[in-house]
Amino acid sequence: MSRKAKRARNKTEQKGAPRPETGVKPSSGANDIQPLPEQPPRPYRDELLFLTMLLVWSFLVSCFPMRNMDIWWHLRTGELILERGTVPYFDWFTFVDFDRPWIDLHWGFQLLVTWLYRWGGVNLLVLSKAFCLALTVALAWFAGGRYLPPWGKALLWILPVVCLSGRSVVRPEMLSLVYLAAWMLVLSRAASKPQLLWLIPLLALLWVNSHALFVLGLVVSVLWVIDHLVRVWARGRLGMEPASTELTGVMLIRIAVLTGIACFLNPYFEQGVLFPLTLYEKFSVDQAFYSVRIGEFQPPLDFIRQHGLRNLFVAAQVILGVMALFSFIPLLIQKRVNLFRILLFAAFTHLAFKASRNTSIFALISGIVLCDNLSDWIRFGLIVRGKPLATDRQSDFQVTPAMIVSSALFLALFVSLFTGYWHAWGGEGKRLGLGEAEAWYAHGAAEFAGQEGMPDRAFVSNMGQAAVYIFHNGPDRRVFFDGRLEVNSQKTFEWYEQIRQQMARADTSWAYVLQDENGQLPAVILDSRFSRNEIMGMAANPGWMLVFADQAAAVFLDQQTAERLKLKPADPQPLMHPPGMKVRESVPPPEGTQPDQPK
């Protein structure tokens, strides 16, 4: 054969040779990893069935009467922002720390819940947070585990949903979970659809104006970029899949710059960007102080040491974390390394160990990581050896025994929810329904203390009920201390605790320190569930009179003010048995001793 004919034949063979997959760099070396082809992104009836069951259950498990306290100061702040046309820059609601700066990154959330409350009241707020949980789960479903069978994927998401439902409250956190799930979904699709990355700056803009946890999106992005750079360097070596060639450095830099600019587009500019460091300081540098006083700042390990794993939500978090951790082992043994997931799991595990309030974001990330790891078990043939994964899934709906078992389990979950057993297992006094928890909020006491002629100041315990007083009376009437730890100083917190202890001992020395410039003493509002010692001490104090009492709270006024307003002593009987609380009957403690703790 002539040279010319040979060259022609070689060109023909090269044209017919298979080309490397688009968007992926060719590997070099016998042991390099080639990524398997993606599944066709079209819906299937079995996936629709199990996703629907999961989302409906996620929605319903989050439908319980509202009981988080801080929603009320969020609502009042939203109303004031609409009235005044500005966000707060200094405190609006306390008379001690009134001159302290207030970085209120929650203002977007506050406007949202204010509109929802105006349209549908508390019921719509409860439905909205249930919708946010279901939306979070839906986004996370598509963010990981593409090779898992739908029945198995739905089962894996039960544990994360249990964890998320434990902290499903009407707080800015409900939006942060949605943003975080959306952020993870965008990054999971970036290799095949890099144009989706342009959504990241938009998510950052919305997030930074809703909640201080916007920094989590930045952390996730940094970990993802580190993983991408290592993949580019490794070129399929070290057990890592090659990086997508569709993601250029110029594109990533532009998106990073836009994301950074978006974070500064908040009413507080650089102060808003740096605000997450203030929160992190609360459960890191100042953890010794706050963790023993505020439940959500307590490290989960401390809770487990005290109470064990009897709590349903804590047990679910531990099981989920262990499952996610061990899901890495078979992949690492087979030298299949995903650096992004390893860094992601390590970072959010660190946050979960720091404070219980971070366990919801840990559950979300752990659910995605677990599904992705188990998906890789199937993808790389670690479960069924010798059989290559079929990429052309059948669109015909075929019922299998595994699907029947999974469906039966979801049916049992629905039955337990509707019969009340589910919330009974949770042990937190919740129930399926809407509205407010019975006699949980001190609305009656706050409205009574806001009448004409009443003091313009109030000392409220517990501090959560201060938000209810703020909602009804702020900012014209102010409180000594409330639950906004970003505003109230640690020194004020310590003072607040000292006053509560003095109240419980019937000590009167605290009162005159809180007089206003006219010598007026504040109204004292005490929660019937968590301030029982203070109620007993104030009732034994001859200088103060119980002027209002219902099942939620008591109101005390000094004798001089009560006589000026011509008020009579109130009947304390409603305080004895708050709904849903077992109270041990007791006799007054001997003089000089502190009353028993509430049971």
Side-chain angles (χ1 to χ4, degrees), residues 281-292 297 299 353-354:
E281 183 179 353
K282 300 292 184 184
F283 55 83
S284 57
V285 178
D286 299 328
Q287 185 178 32
F289 176 81
Y290 288 103
S291 63
V292 297
F297 283 87
F353 277 129
K354 282 293 183 181

Side-chain angles (χ1 to χ4, degrees), residues 213-267:
L213 288 185
F214 74 92
V215 70
L216 296 180
L218 305 181
V219 171
V220 169
S221 293
V222 169
L223 300 181
W224 183 83
V225 169
I226 291 174
D227 173 78
H228 176 73
L229 295 176
V230 174
R231 288 174 187 270
V232 171
W233 169 78
R235 295 187 177 183
R237 298 170 297 178
L238 305 177
M240 305 183 69
E241 296 182 15
S244 171
T245 56
E246 298 293 327
L247 299 171
T248 63
V250 173
M251 177 185 180
L252 295 179
I253 291 174
R254 289 174 178 173
I255 293 173
V257 171
L258 289 177
T259 302
I261 294 174
C263 290
F264 280 90
L265 296 180
N266 69 83

Side-chain angles (χ1 to χ4, degrees), residues 18-58:
R19 296 183 178 181
E21 187 179 346
T22 303
V24 179
K25 291 184 178 182
S27 61
S28 59
N31 295 325
D32 292 342
I33 293 178
Q34 293 296 331
L36 298 181
E38 294 287 350
Q39 294 180 358
R42 63 175 189 261
Y44 299 93
R45 283 183 288 177
D46 56 341
E47 183 170 24
L48 181 61
L49 170 64
F50 286 100
L51 177 58
T52 300
M53 287 194 297
L54 177 65
L55 295 184
V56 171
W57 182 68
S58 301

